[in-house]
Amino acid sequence: EVQLVESGGGSVQAGGSLRLSCTASGLTFDDYAMGWFRQAPGKEREGVSCISRTVGATYYADSVKGRFTISRDNAKNTVYLQMNSLKPEDTAMYYCAARNGGMLHCEVLPDEYNYWGQGTQVTVSS
């Protein structure tokens, strides 16, 4: 059984930081690119960041570039999203996802991802 479990969400004031974690089980973690997505009420799902397997190439949405950092620890089957300088517009449910393959690059196209976590809520107040 494949499972992705997110943690680390919560409520913070603008300018604060959070670190999200996503731990995978039931799959060979090294074979998957990993991505983070978010969705606010009434809005479509938005790709935030991803990291490829093997070479660890990364992508960031323009809205988070310079503030968020994605990383992975293959020994722990875990991908992280460090979020700094948080803004109210970052408020959303954040989802971890896994995509098989993709050695040299990654993309944040939701239809390309095979497995999804249940999400963790991030709320940023003014």
Side-chain angles (χ1 to χ4, degrees), residues 8-79:
S11 298
V12 298
Q13 292 197 330
S17 297
L18 287 171
R19 189 175 79 155
L20 306 184
S21 299
C22 171
T23 299
S25 61
L27 54 77
T28 303
F29 189 74
D30 296 3
D31 292 341
Y32 287 79
M34 302 297 298
W36 287 98
F37 299 78
R38 66 187 182 186
Q39 188 167 23
K43 297 184 178 180
E44 66 181 27
R45 186 164 37 186
E46 174 189 16
V48 176
S49 183
C50 61
I51 183 166
S52 73
R53 68 170 183 164
T54 306
V55 299
T58 58
Y59 164 86
Y60 299 94
D62 288 343
S63 59
V64 307
K65 193 172 298 181
R67 299 188 297 121
F68 291 11
T69 303
I70 191 170
S71 61
R72 65 190 296 162
D73 186 339
N74 290 342
K76 297 181 179 179
N77 284 10
T78 299
V79 62

Side-chain angles (χ1 to χ4, degrees), residues 78-123:
T78 299
V79 62
Y80 304 94
L81 187 68
Q82 178 67 46
M83 305 185 296
N84 298 327
S85 302
L86 283 162
K87 304 174 180 179
E89 49 263 47
D90 295 318
T91 295
M93 185 73 73
Y94 283 71
Y95 297 92
C96 172
R99 176 187 182 271
N100 184 251
M103 186 181 74
L104 299 180
H105 73 282
C106 67
E107 300 173 305
V108 286
L109 300 174
D111 290 348
E112 299 295 326
Y113 285 77
N114 307 101
Y115 303 106
W116 293 81
Q118 291 294 297
T120 185
Q121 179 68 39
V122 172
T123 302

